[in-house]
Amino acid sequence: MSIFITGVAGFVGTNLAAAMLKRGDKVSGFDNLSLGSARNVEAIRRHGAFDFEVVDLADVDAYRRALRALHARSPVTEVWHLAASSDIAAGVADAGVDLRDTFMTTYNTLLLMKELGIGTIVFASSSAVYGDLGERKLSEDTGPLFPISNYGAMKLASEGVISAALESHLQRAFVFRFPNVAGVPATHGVILDFVRKLRASPGNLDVLGDGSQRKSYLHVDELVDAMLFVRSRARERLGYYNIGADDEGVTVHFIAQQVVQLVAPGARITFGQGSKGWVGDVPKFAYATDKLSKLGWRPTLSSAEAIRKAIGQIAEQERAR
Ligand SMILES: NC(=O)c1ccc[n+]([C@@H]2O[C@H](COP(=O)([O-])OP(=O)(O)OC[C@H]3O[C@@H](n4cnc5c(N)ncnc54)[C@H](O)[C@@H]3O)[C@@H](O)[C@H]2O)c1
């Protein structure tokens, strides 16, 4: 397999590339380093030969030039498309951020796959496509899908253009709807935010929202394991899967307490108002993962265990910075 990963210098991309290199795949990737880092790329290189270039995938001409050259050197057999804006707040302030980095990166990737005759895409989608459906457990057939953030809207639009491309030039597609993913190298997310706040002011932790938000979490090691498992076992032409723990998730209150205990014992936790941390935040979600478990994959860690493991790792990452 010769796999091309977009957004490879980010949190999930780094872990995915390392796992693929370890099992002997040829791996290449592009990233514009807007959120990912050169340090992450160095970490991937420790696992084997890895072809990397800094490319902005929203710039279709630059993307075409770089991908054509890469494909000529070493033909790509499939694309794992992970590039997106993971900065939800930036997308709230300016909808153009998600149009460009979450949607146009998908659109351009499909266009170039058509030009180069690459038939398989694996797409990193999100629970954000479901919108706010209250207490309902989300299965792959849950609908209607009305996202409440620009990020979720552009992920759903990306799923749409992938399904349309299957009708014309793609041979296979996998759509993986991630939950909240935790681990290292952390580039964003609630744990990193809390750890950094506490390191800056160890006496107090300000939490966005009232702490009652409850969400499903998965450790990145398990996410990568699940993706590789589904890629090898699923037989559908369009395989779409919720990936996550089959539990009720954990609250922001729980995460805040766990981070305080490890990073700054005794710090006071101050909660904000309302059940949402920010505009577009989905306050509660949990997955039904029957489809994934029927295929034969289950996580070994619950949401709470994934959070505890990630807190230790992220605290260590920040100490070493
Ligand atoms: N981490 C999570 O909790 C989570 C949850 C749901 C979905 N996802 C999705 O999984 C994927 C990976 O997320 P992550 O957590 O690793 O985020 P991340 O921000 O660490 O990685 C995304 C990478 O894409 C790159 N990128 C963004 N715009 C680009 C552009 N125009 N050109 C080239 N590169 C660009 C960034 O520099 C970054 O390295 C994303 O698509 C994200 O939306 C992540």
PDB file of all heavy atoms in Angstrom, residues 7 9-13 30-36 55-58 81-86 100-101 105 124-126 151 155 178-181 187-188, ligand 1:
ATOM      1  N   GLY A   7      -3.185  16.457   6.212  1.00  0.00           N
ATOM      2  CA  GLY A   7      -3.234  16.856   7.626  1.00  0.00           C
ATOM      3  C   GLY A   7      -2.356  15.948   8.479  1.00  0.00           C
ATOM      4  O   GLY A   7      -2.612  15.736   9.660  1.00  0.00           O
ATOM      5  N   ALA A   9       0.573  16.208   9.771  1.00  0.00           N
ATOM      6  CA  ALA A   9       1.374  16.728  10.882  1.00  0.00           C
ATOM      7  C   ALA A   9       0.532  17.080  12.099  1.00  0.00           C
ATOM      8  O   ALA A   9       1.037  17.619  13.085  1.00  0.00           O
ATOM      9  CB  ALA A   9       2.154  17.961  10.421  1.00  0.00           C
ATOM     10  N   GLY A  10      -0.756  16.750  12.045  1.00  0.00           N
ATOM     11  CA  GLY A  10      -1.638  17.034  13.176  1.00  0.00           C
ATOM     12  C   GLY A  10      -1.669  15.885  14.168  1.00  0.00           C
ATOM     13  O   GLY A  10      -0.908  14.914  14.056  1.00  0.00           O
ATOM     14  N   PHE A  11      -2.560  16.003  15.115  1.00  0.00           N
ATOM     15  CA  PHE A  11      -2.666  15.044  16.227  1.00  0.00           C
ATOM     16  C   PHE A  11      -2.971  13.621  15.727  1.00  0.00           C
ATOM     17  O   PHE A  11      -2.196  12.679  15.956  1.00  0.00           O
ATOM     18  CB  PHE A  11      -3.755  15.574  17.173  1.00  0.00           C
ATOM     19  CG  PHE A  11      -4.306  14.613  18.162  1.00  0.00           C
ATOM     20  CD1 PHE A  11      -3.466  13.806  18.933  1.00  0.00           C
ATOM     21  CD2 PHE A  11      -5.679  14.513  18.357  1.00  0.00           C
ATOM     22  CE1 PHE A  11      -3.994  12.919  19.868  1.00  0.00           C
ATOM     23  CE2 PHE A  11      -6.212  13.639  19.285  1.00  0.00           C
ATOM     24  CZ  PHE A  11      -5.367  12.842  20.038  1.00  0.00           C
ATOM     25  N   VAL A  12      -4.086  13.447  15.023  1.00  0.00           N
ATOM     26  CA  VAL A  12      -4.459  12.099  14.567  1.00  0.00           C
ATOM     27  C   VAL A  12      -3.515  11.632  13.452  1.00  0.00           C
ATOM     28  O   VAL A  12      -3.070  10.485  13.435  1.00  0.00           O
ATOM     29  CB  VAL A  12      -5.930  12.057  14.093  1.00  0.00           C
ATOM     30  CG1 VAL A  12      -6.278  10.672  13.546  1.00  0.00           C
ATOM     31  CG2 VAL A  12      -6.884  12.423  15.224  1.00  0.00           C
ATOM     32  N   GLY A  13      -3.168  12.549  12.530  1.00  0.00           N
ATOM     33  CA  GLY A  13      -2.309  12.198  11.396  1.00  0.00           C
ATOM     34  C   GLY A  13      -0.975  11.621  11.844  1.00  0.00           C
ATOM     35  O   GLY A  13      -0.486  10.635  11.285  1.00  0.00           O
ATOM     36  N   PHE A  30       0.859  15.601   3.218  1.00  0.00           N
ATOM     37  CA  PHE A  30       0.991  17.062   3.139  1.00  0.00           C
ATOM     38  C   PHE A  30       0.294  17.682   4.350  1.00  0.00           C
ATOM     39  O   PHE A  30      -0.666  17.122   4.887  1.00  0.00           O
ATOM     40  CB  PHE A  30       0.288  17.619   1.891  1.00  0.00           C
ATOM     41  CG  PHE A  30       0.873  17.197   0.565  1.00  0.00           C
ATOM     42  CD1 PHE A  30       0.122  17.370  -0.599  1.00  0.00           C
ATOM     43  CD2 PHE A  30       2.149  16.666   0.455  1.00  0.00           C
ATOM     44  CE1 PHE A  30       0.631  17.004  -1.836  1.00  0.00           C
ATOM     45  CE2 PHE A  30       2.674  16.288  -0.780  1.00  0.00           C
ATOM     46  CZ  PHE A  30       1.905  16.459  -1.932  1.00  0.00           C
ATOM     47  N   ASP A  31       0.787  18.857   4.716  1.00  0.00           N
ATOM     48  CA  ASP A  31       0.147  19.638   5.787  1.00  0.00           C
ATOM     49  C   ASP A  31       0.623  21.072   5.597  1.00  0.00           C
ATOM     50  O   ASP A  31       1.765  21.285   5.177  1.00  0.00           O
ATOM     51  CB  ASP A  31       0.584  19.112   7.162  1.00  0.00           C
ATOM     52  CG  ASP A  31      -0.325  19.549   8.295  1.00  0.00           C
ATOM     53  OD1 ASP A  31      -0.456  20.784   8.522  1.00  0.00           O
ATOM     54  OD2 ASP A  31      -0.910  18.669   8.960  1.00  0.00           O
ATOM     55  N   ASN A  32      -0.218  22.043   5.893  1.00  0.00           N
ATOM     56  CA  ASN A  32       0.261  23.430   5.776  1.00  0.00           C
ATOM     57  C   ASN A  32       0.819  23.940   7.099  1.00  0.00           C
ATOM     58  O   ASN A  32       1.194  25.109   7.209  1.00  0.00           O
ATOM     59  CB  ASN A  32      -0.839  24.363   5.252  1.00  0.00           C
ATOM     60  CG  ASN A  32      -1.981  24.541   6.235  1.00  0.00           C
ATOM     61  OD1 ASN A  32      -2.013  23.897   7.277  1.00  0.00           O
ATOM     62  ND2 ASN A  32      -2.918  25.411   5.908  1.00  0.00           N
ATOM     63  N   LEU A  33       0.858  23.076   8.103  1.00  0.00           N
ATOM     64  CA  LEU A  33       1.400  23.397   9.432  1.00  0.00           C
ATOM     65  C   LEU A  33       0.660  24.549  10.109  1.00  0.00           C
ATOM     66  O   LEU A  33       1.229  25.220  10.972  1.00  0.00           O
ATOM     67  CB  LEU A  33       2.919  23.670   9.365  1.00  0.00           C
ATOM     68  CG  LEU A  33       3.778  22.526   8.821  1.00  0.00           C
ATOM     69  CD1 LEU A  33       5.270  22.871   8.925  1.00  0.00           C
ATOM     70  CD2 LEU A  33       3.526  21.206   9.565  1.00  0.00           C
ATOM     71  N   SER A  34      -0.592  24.779   9.729  1.00  0.00           N
ATOM     72  CA  SER A  34      -1.359  25.829  10.410  1.00  0.00           C
ATOM     73  C   SER A  34      -1.669  25.396  11.838  1.00  0.00           C
ATOM     74  O   SER A  34      -1.654  26.201  12.764  1.00  0.00           O
ATOM     75  CB  SER A  34      -2.649  26.146   9.657  1.00  0.00           C
ATOM     76  OG  SER A  34      -3.417  24.977   9.469  1.00  0.00           O
ATOM     77  N   LEU A  35      -1.947  24.115  12.028  1.00  0.00           N
ATOM     78  CA  LEU A  35      -2.221  23.589  13.375  1.00  0.00           C
ATOM     79  C   LEU A  35      -1.270  22.454  13.737  1.00  0.00           C
ATOM     80  O   LEU A  35      -0.954  22.246  14.899  1.00  0.00           O
ATOM     81  CB  LEU A  35      -3.679  23.108  13.473  1.00  0.00           C
ATOM     82  CG  LEU A  35      -4.716  24.225  13.258  1.00  0.00           C
ATOM     83  CD1 LEU A  35      -6.063  23.658  12.839  1.00  0.00           C
ATOM     84  CD2 LEU A  35      -4.863  25.060  14.512  1.00  0.00           C
ATOM     85  N   GLY A  36      -0.818  21.732  12.751  1.00  0.00           N
ATOM     86  CA  GLY A  36       0.168  20.680  12.995  1.00  0.00           C
ATOM     87  C   GLY A  36       1.555  21.302  13.107  1.00  0.00           C
ATOM     88  O   GLY A  36       1.712  22.516  12.957  1.00  0.00           O
ATOM     89  N   VAL A  55       2.245  21.898   2.192  1.00  0.00           N
ATOM     90  CA  VAL A  55       1.387  22.313   1.073  1.00  0.00           C
ATOM     91  C   VAL A  55       0.052  22.784   1.647  1.00  0.00           C
ATOM     92  O   VAL A  55      -0.500  22.132   2.537  1.00  0.00           O
ATOM     93  CB  VAL A  55       1.114  21.131   0.096  1.00  0.00           C
ATOM     94  CG1 VAL A  55       0.240  21.575  -1.067  1.00  0.00           C
ATOM     95  CG2 VAL A  55       2.413  20.523  -0.420  1.00  0.00           C
ATOM     96  N   ASP A  56      -0.460  23.901   1.107  1.00  0.00           N
ATOM     97  CA  ASP A  56      -1.804  24.349   1.487  1.00  0.00           C
ATOM     98  C   ASP A  56      -2.804  23.705   0.524  1.00  0.00           C
ATOM     99  O   ASP A  56      -2.838  24.043  -0.661  1.00  0.00           O
ATOM    100  CB  ASP A  56      -1.884  25.881   1.412  1.00  0.00           C
ATOM    101  CG  ASP A  56      -3.257  26.387   1.837  1.00  0.00           C
ATOM    102  OD1 ASP A  56      -4.143  25.549   2.154  1.00  0.00           O
ATOM    103  OD2 ASP A  56      -3.456  27.617   1.846  1.00  0.00           O
ATOM    104  N   LEU A  57      -3.621  22.808   1.036  1.00  0.00           N
ATOM    105  CA  LEU A  57      -4.541  22.040   0.185  1.00  0.00           C
ATOM    106  C   LEU A  57      -5.724  22.867  -0.293  1.00  0.00           C
ATOM    107  O   LEU A  57      -6.470  22.439  -1.173  1.00  0.00           O
ATOM    108  CB  LEU A  57      -5.062  20.808   0.935  1.00  0.00           C
ATOM    109  CG  LEU A  57      -4.022  19.947   1.648  1.00  0.00           C
ATOM    110  CD1 LEU A  57      -4.681  18.716   2.247  1.00  0.00           C
ATOM    111  CD2 LEU A  57      -2.921  19.528   0.714  1.00  0.00           C
ATOM    112  N   ALA A  58      -5.899  24.060   0.300  1.00  0.00           N
ATOM    113  CA  ALA A  58      -6.968  24.932  -0.176  1.00  0.00           C
ATOM    114  C   ALA A  58      -6.529  25.671  -1.443  1.00  0.00           C
ATOM    115  O   ALA A  58      -7.351  26.228  -2.167  1.00  0.00           O
ATOM    116  CB  ALA A  58      -7.342  25.936   0.919  1.00  0.00           C
ATOM    117  N   HIS A  81      -7.954  11.337   4.184  1.00  0.00           N
ATOM    118  CA  HIS A  81      -8.105  12.792   4.235  1.00  0.00           C
ATOM    119  C   HIS A  81      -8.455  13.261   5.654  1.00  0.00           C
ATOM    120  O   HIS A  81      -9.594  13.140   6.106  1.00  0.00           O
ATOM    121  CB  HIS A  81      -9.188  13.213   3.235  1.00  0.00           C
ATOM    122  CG  HIS A  81      -9.502  14.663   3.282  1.00  0.00           C
ATOM    123  ND1 HIS A  81      -8.522  15.638   3.318  1.00  0.00           N
ATOM    124  CD2 HIS A  81     -10.683  15.332   3.293  1.00  0.00           C
ATOM    125  CE1 HIS A  81      -9.098  16.832   3.371  1.00  0.00           C
ATOM    126  NE2 HIS A  81     -10.400  16.676   3.363  1.00  0.00           N
ATOM    127  N   LEU A  82      -7.436  13.833   6.304  1.00  0.00           N
ATOM    128  CA  LEU A  82      -7.593  14.284   7.699  1.00  0.00           C
ATOM    129  C   LEU A  82      -7.487  15.799   7.839  1.00  0.00           C
ATOM    130  O   LEU A  82      -7.816  16.345   8.897  1.00  0.00           O
ATOM    131  CB  LEU A  82      -6.493  13.642   8.568  1.00  0.00           C
ATOM    132  CG  LEU A  82      -6.770  12.291   9.223  1.00  0.00           C
ATOM    133  CD1 LEU A  82      -7.151  11.237   8.203  1.00  0.00           C
ATOM    134  CD2 LEU A  82      -5.565  11.824  10.023  1.00  0.00           C
ATOM    135  N   ALA A  83      -6.998  16.490   6.815  1.00  0.00           N
ATOM    136  CA  ALA A  83      -6.802  17.942   6.956  1.00  0.00           C
ATOM    137  C   ALA A  83      -8.146  18.629   7.166  1.00  0.00           C
ATOM    138  O   ALA A  83      -9.134  18.311   6.504  1.00  0.00           O
ATOM    139  CB  ALA A  83      -6.121  18.501   5.711  1.00  0.00           C
ATOM    140  N   ALA A  84      -8.196  19.524   8.110  1.00  0.00           N
ATOM    141  CA  ALA A  84      -9.407  20.300   8.413  1.00  0.00           C
ATOM    142  C   ALA A  84      -9.006  21.349   9.435  1.00  0.00           C
ATOM    143  O   ALA A  84      -7.915  21.272  10.011  1.00  0.00           O
ATOM    144  CB  ALA A  84     -10.490  19.400   9.016  1.00  0.00           C
ATOM    145  N   SER A  85      -9.900  22.294   9.680  1.00  0.00           N
ATOM    146  CA  SER A  85      -9.647  23.204  10.791  1.00  0.00           C
ATOM    147  C   SER A  85     -10.215  22.573  12.047  1.00  0.00           C
ATOM    148  O   SER A  85     -11.422  22.351  12.145  1.00  0.00           O
ATOM    149  CB  SER A  85     -10.322  24.552  10.572  1.00  0.00           C
ATOM    150  OG  SER A  85     -10.245  25.271  11.793  1.00  0.00           O
ATOM    151  N   SER A  86      -9.360  22.256  13.007  1.00  0.00           N
ATOM    152  CA  SER A  86      -9.864  21.720  14.268  1.00  0.00           C
ATOM    153  C   SER A  86     -10.082  22.846  15.276  1.00  0.00           C
ATOM    154  O   SER A  86     -10.440  22.607  16.415  1.00  0.00           O
ATOM    155  CB  SER A  86      -8.894  20.672  14.826  1.00  0.00           C
ATOM    156  OG  SER A  86      -7.610  21.239  14.962  1.00  0.00           O
ATOM    157  N   ARG A 100     -12.767  26.961   3.831  1.00  0.00           N
ATOM    158  CA  ARG A 100     -11.463  26.747   3.198  1.00  0.00           C
ATOM    159  C   ARG A 100     -10.789  25.454   3.689  1.00  0.00           C
ATOM    160  O   ARG A 100     -10.468  24.569   2.893  1.00  0.00           O
ATOM    161  CB  ARG A 100     -10.584  27.965   3.530  1.00  0.00           C
ATOM    162  CG  ARG A 100      -9.343  28.102   2.693  1.00  0.00           C
ATOM    163  CD  ARG A 100      -8.624  29.408   2.996  1.00  0.00           C
ATOM    164  NE  ARG A 100      -8.336  29.572   4.413  1.00  0.00           N
ATOM    165  CZ  ARG A 100      -8.866  30.512   5.197  1.00  0.00           C
ATOM    166  NH1 ARG A 100      -9.720  31.405   4.718  1.00  0.00           N
ATOM    167  NH2 ARG A 100      -8.546  30.593   6.478  1.00  0.00           N
ATOM    168  N   ASP A 101     -10.617  25.350   5.008  1.00  0.00           N
ATOM    169  CA  ASP A 101      -9.764  24.259   5.509  1.00  0.00           C
ATOM    170  C   ASP A 101     -10.530  22.947   5.737  1.00  0.00           C
ATOM    171  O   ASP A 101      -9.918  21.874   5.707  1.00  0.00           O
ATOM    172  CB  ASP A 101      -9.074  24.689   6.815  1.00  0.00           C
ATOM    173  CG  ASP A 101      -8.020  25.752   6.547  1.00  0.00           C
ATOM    174  OD1 ASP A 101      -7.509  25.815   5.406  1.00  0.00           O
ATOM    175  OD2 ASP A 101      -7.714  26.537   7.461  1.00  0.00           O
ATOM    176  N   THR A 105     -10.589  21.675   1.215  1.00  0.00           N
ATOM    177  CA  THR A 105      -9.530  20.652   1.215  1.00  0.00           C
ATOM    178  C   THR A 105     -10.111  19.310   0.746  1.00  0.00           C
ATOM    179  O   THR A 105      -9.441  18.550   0.048  1.00  0.00           O
ATOM    180  CB  THR A 105      -8.889  20.501   2.611  1.00  0.00           C
ATOM    181  OG1 THR A 105      -9.917  20.209   3.565  1.00  0.00           O
ATOM    182  CG2 THR A 105      -8.147  21.750   3.041  1.00  0.00           C
ATOM    183  N   ALA A 124     -11.944  11.546   7.596  1.00  0.00           N
ATOM    184  CA  ALA A 124     -12.116  11.795   9.025  1.00  0.00           C
ATOM    185  C   ALA A 124     -13.292  12.736   9.222  1.00  0.00           C
ATOM    186  O   ALA A 124     -13.150  13.950   9.133  1.00  0.00           O
ATOM    187  CB  ALA A 124     -10.848  12.428   9.599  1.00  0.00           C
ATOM    188  N   SER A 125     -14.477  12.178   9.482  1.00  0.00           N
ATOM    189  CA  SER A 125     -15.631  13.018   9.755  1.00  0.00           C
ATOM    190  C   SER A 125     -15.811  13.142  11.270  1.00  0.00           C
ATOM    191  O   SER A 125     -14.892  12.804  12.034  1.00  0.00           O
ATOM    192  CB  SER A 125     -16.876  12.451   9.071  1.00  0.00           C
ATOM    193  OG  SER A 125     -17.922  13.400   9.123  1.00  0.00           O
ATOM    194  N   SER A 126     -16.975  13.585  11.681  1.00  0.00           N
ATOM    195  CA  SER A 126     -17.109  13.966  13.081  1.00  0.00           C
ATOM    196  C   SER A 126     -18.540  13.784  13.578  1.00  0.00           C
ATOM    197  O   SER A 126     -19.500  13.874  12.795  1.00  0.00           O
ATOM    198  CB  SER A 126     -16.715  15.447  13.187  1.00  0.00           C
ATOM    199  OG  SER A 126     -17.180  16.006  14.381  1.00  0.00           O
ATOM    200  N   TYR A 151     -18.135  24.138  11.364  1.00  0.00           N
ATOM    201  CA  TYR A 151     -17.261  22.961  11.261  1.00  0.00           C
ATOM    202  C   TYR A 151     -18.095  21.722  10.914  1.00  0.00           C
ATOM    203  O   TYR A 151     -17.782  20.995   9.953  1.00  0.00           O
ATOM    204  CB  TYR A 151     -16.539  22.795  12.604  1.00  0.00           C
ATOM    205  CG  TYR A 151     -15.812  21.484  12.783  1.00  0.00           C
ATOM    206  CD1 TYR A 151     -14.599  21.251  12.157  1.00  0.00           C
ATOM    207  CD2 TYR A 151     -16.343  20.487  13.605  1.00  0.00           C
ATOM    208  CE1 TYR A 151     -13.924  20.039  12.336  1.00  0.00           C
ATOM    209  CE2 TYR A 151     -15.678  19.279  13.785  1.00  0.00           C
ATOM    210  CZ  TYR A 151     -14.476  19.071  13.150  1.00  0.00           C
ATOM    211  OH  TYR A 151     -13.816  17.877  13.322  1.00  0.00           O
ATOM    212  N   LYS A 155     -18.134  19.471   7.474  1.00  0.00           N
ATOM    213  CA  LYS A 155     -17.874  18.016   7.511  1.00  0.00           C
ATOM    214  C   LYS A 155     -19.005  17.281   6.792  1.00  0.00           C
ATOM    215  O   LYS A 155     -18.771  16.354   6.030  1.00  0.00           O
ATOM    216  CB  LYS A 155     -17.775  17.520   8.963  1.00  0.00           C
ATOM    217  CG  LYS A 155     -16.477  17.842   9.645  1.00  0.00           C
ATOM    218  CD  LYS A 155     -15.324  17.022   9.064  1.00  0.00           C
ATOM    219  CE  LYS A 155     -14.022  17.287   9.796  1.00  0.00           C
ATOM    220  NZ  LYS A 155     -12.854  16.709   9.109  1.00  0.00           N
ATOM    221  N   PHE A 178     -15.676  10.467  13.963  1.00  0.00           N
ATOM    222  CA  PHE A 178     -14.944  10.388  15.234  1.00  0.00           C
ATOM    223  C   PHE A 178     -15.782  11.001  16.352  1.00  0.00           C
ATOM    224  O   PHE A 178     -16.545  11.945  16.113  1.00  0.00           O
ATOM    225  CB  PHE A 178     -13.640  11.203  15.195  1.00  0.00           C
ATOM    226  CG  PHE A 178     -12.615  10.791  14.168  1.00  0.00           C
ATOM    227  CD1 PHE A 178     -11.461  11.555  14.012  1.00  0.00           C
ATOM    228  CD2 PHE A 178     -12.774   9.675  13.373  1.00  0.00           C
ATOM    229  CE1 PHE A 178     -10.488  11.213  13.085  1.00  0.00           C
ATOM    230  CE2 PHE A 178     -11.807   9.316  12.437  1.00  0.00           C
ATOM    231  CZ  PHE A 178     -10.669  10.100  12.293  1.00  0.00           C
ATOM    232  N   PRO A 179     -15.549  10.548  17.601  1.00  0.00           N
ATOM    233  CA  PRO A 179     -16.094  11.267  18.765  1.00  0.00           C
ATOM    234  C   PRO A 179     -15.070  12.336  19.137  1.00  0.00           C
ATOM    235  O   PRO A 179     -14.310  12.790  18.285  1.00  0.00           O
ATOM    236  CB  PRO A 179     -16.151  10.157  19.815  1.00  0.00           C
ATOM    237  CG  PRO A 179     -14.938   9.321  19.504  1.00  0.00           C
ATOM    238  CD  PRO A 179     -14.719   9.412  18.002  1.00  0.00           C
ATOM    239  N   ASN A 180     -14.975  12.725  20.393  1.00  0.00           N
ATOM    240  CA  ASN A 180     -13.840  13.549  20.827  1.00  0.00           C
ATOM    241  C   ASN A 180     -12.676  12.600  21.045  1.00  0.00           C
ATOM    242  O   ASN A 180     -12.829  11.569  21.698  1.00  0.00           O
ATOM    243  CB  ASN A 180     -14.170  14.275  22.129  1.00  0.00           C
ATOM    244  CG  ASN A 180     -15.181  15.367  21.889  1.00  0.00           C
ATOM    245  OD1 ASN A 180     -15.008  16.207  21.025  1.00  0.00           O
ATOM    246  ND2 ASN A 180     -16.279  15.338  22.627  1.00  0.00           N
ATOM    247  N   VAL A 181     -11.546  12.967  20.498  1.00  0.00           N
ATOM    248  CA  VAL A 181     -10.388  12.076  20.569  1.00  0.00           C
ATOM    249  C   VAL A 181      -9.352  12.712  21.494  1.00  0.00           C
ATOM    250  O   VAL A 181      -9.122  13.922  21.431  1.00  0.00           O
ATOM    251  CB  VAL A 181      -9.783  11.856  19.164  1.00  0.00           C
ATOM    252  CG1 VAL A 181      -8.711  10.781  19.224  1.00  0.00           C
ATOM    253  CG2 VAL A 181     -10.873  11.470  18.163  1.00  0.00           C
ATOM    254  N   THR A 187      -2.942  18.894  19.966  1.00  0.00           N
ATOM    255  CA  THR A 187      -2.839  20.197  19.290  1.00  0.00           C
ATOM    256  C   THR A 187      -3.987  21.115  19.710  1.00  0.00           C
ATOM    257  O   THR A 187      -3.963  22.305  19.453  1.00  0.00           O
ATOM    258  CB  THR A 187      -2.897  20.006  17.756  1.00  0.00           C
ATOM    259  OG1 THR A 187      -4.098  19.282  17.421  1.00  0.00           O
ATOM    260  CG2 THR A 187      -1.698  19.251  17.227  1.00  0.00           C
ATOM    261  N   HIS A 188      -5.030  20.546  20.299  1.00  0.00           N
ATOM    262  CA  HIS A 188      -6.221  21.304  20.681  1.00  0.00           C
ATOM    263  C   HIS A 188      -7.047  20.448  21.621  1.00  0.00           C
ATOM    264  O   HIS A 188      -6.701  19.293  21.878  1.00  0.00           O
ATOM    265  CB  HIS A 188      -7.048  21.648  19.433  1.00  0.00           C
ATOM    266  CG  HIS A 188      -7.493  20.430  18.667  1.00  0.00           C
ATOM    267  ND1 HIS A 188      -8.702  19.830  18.832  1.00  0.00           N
ATOM    268  CD2 HIS A 188      -6.842  19.655  17.758  1.00  0.00           C
ATOM    269  CE1 HIS A 188      -8.800  18.770  18.047  1.00  0.00           C
ATOM    270  NE2 HIS A 188      -7.669  18.639  17.371  1.00  0.00           N
TER     271      HIS A 188
HETATM  272  N1  LIG B   1      -9.391  15.219  17.473  1.00  0.00           N
HETATM  273  C1  LIG B   1     -10.710  15.109  17.561  1.00  0.00           C
HETATM  274  O1  LIG B   1     -11.278  15.082  18.667  1.00  0.00           O
HETATM  275  C2  LIG B   1     -11.536  14.995  16.298  1.00  0.00           C
HETATM  276  C3  LIG B   1     -12.910  14.758  16.428  1.00  0.00           C
HETATM  277  C4  LIG B   1     -13.683  14.652  15.281  1.00  0.00           C
HETATM  278  C5  LIG B   1     -13.090  14.774  14.030  1.00  0.00           C
HETATM  279  N2  LIG B   1     -11.773  15.027  13.936  1.00  0.00           N
HETATM  280  C6  LIG B   1     -11.184  15.194  12.596  1.00  0.00           C
HETATM  281  O2  LIG B   1     -10.024  14.402  12.471  1.00  0.00           O
HETATM  282  C7  LIG B   1      -9.064  15.060  11.630  1.00  0.00           C
HETATM  283  C8  LIG B   1      -7.748  15.194  12.362  1.00  0.00           C
HETATM  284  O3  LIG B   1      -7.971  16.014  13.525  1.00  0.00           O
HETATM  285  P1  LIG B   1      -6.839  16.340  14.565  1.00  0.00           P
HETATM  286  O4  LIG B   1      -7.418  16.250  15.895  1.00  0.00           O
HETATM  287  O5  LIG B   1      -5.616  15.586  14.229  1.00  0.00           O
HETATM  288  O6  LIG B   1      -6.625  17.898  14.257  1.00  0.00           O
HETATM  289  P2  LIG B   1      -5.272  18.674  13.957  1.00  0.00           P
HETATM  290  O7  LIG B   1      -5.612  20.113  13.884  1.00  0.00           O
HETATM  291  O8  LIG B   1      -4.219  18.260  14.910  1.00  0.00           O
HETATM  292  O9  LIG B   1      -4.909  18.121  12.495  1.00  0.00           O
HETATM  293  C9  LIG B   1      -5.445  18.665  11.314  1.00  0.00           C
HETATM  294  C10 LIG B   1      -4.267  19.025  10.417  1.00  0.00           C
HETATM  295  O10 LIG B   1      -4.751  19.591   9.184  1.00  0.00           O
HETATM  296  C11 LIG B   1      -3.851  20.624   8.828  1.00  0.00           C
HETATM  297  N3  LIG B   1      -4.547  21.539   7.903  1.00  0.00           N
HETATM  298  C12 LIG B   1      -5.615  22.326   8.171  1.00  0.00           C
HETATM  299  N4  LIG B   1      -5.933  23.044   7.063  1.00  0.00           N
HETATM  300  C13 LIG B   1      -5.058  22.680   6.091  1.00  0.00           C
HETATM  301  C14 LIG B   1      -4.860  23.080   4.736  1.00  0.00           C
HETATM  302  N5  LIG B   1      -5.619  24.010   4.167  1.00  0.00           N
HETATM  303  N6  LIG B   1      -3.848  22.500   4.038  1.00  0.00           N
HETATM  304  C15 LIG B   1      -3.046  21.579   4.597  1.00  0.00           C
HETATM  305  N7  LIG B   1      -3.181  21.163   5.893  1.00  0.00           N
HETATM  306  C16 LIG B   1      -4.178  21.721   6.615  1.00  0.00           C
HETATM  307  C17 LIG B   1      -3.441  21.276  10.137  1.00  0.00           C
HETATM  308  O11 LIG B   1      -2.222  21.986  10.059  1.00  0.00           O
HETATM  309  C18 LIG B   1      -3.355  20.069  11.064  1.00  0.00           C
HETATM  310  O12 LIG B   1      -2.033  19.553  11.118  1.00  0.00           O
HETATM  311  C19 LIG B   1      -9.681  16.400  11.257  1.00  0.00           C
HETATM  312  O13 LIG B   1     -10.320  16.266  10.009  1.00  0.00           O
HETATM  313  C20 LIG B   1     -10.706  16.612  12.345  1.00  0.00           C
HETATM  314  O14 LIG B   1     -11.764  17.438  11.905  1.00  0.00           O
HETATM  315  C21 LIG B   1     -10.965  15.144  15.033  1.00  0.00           C
END
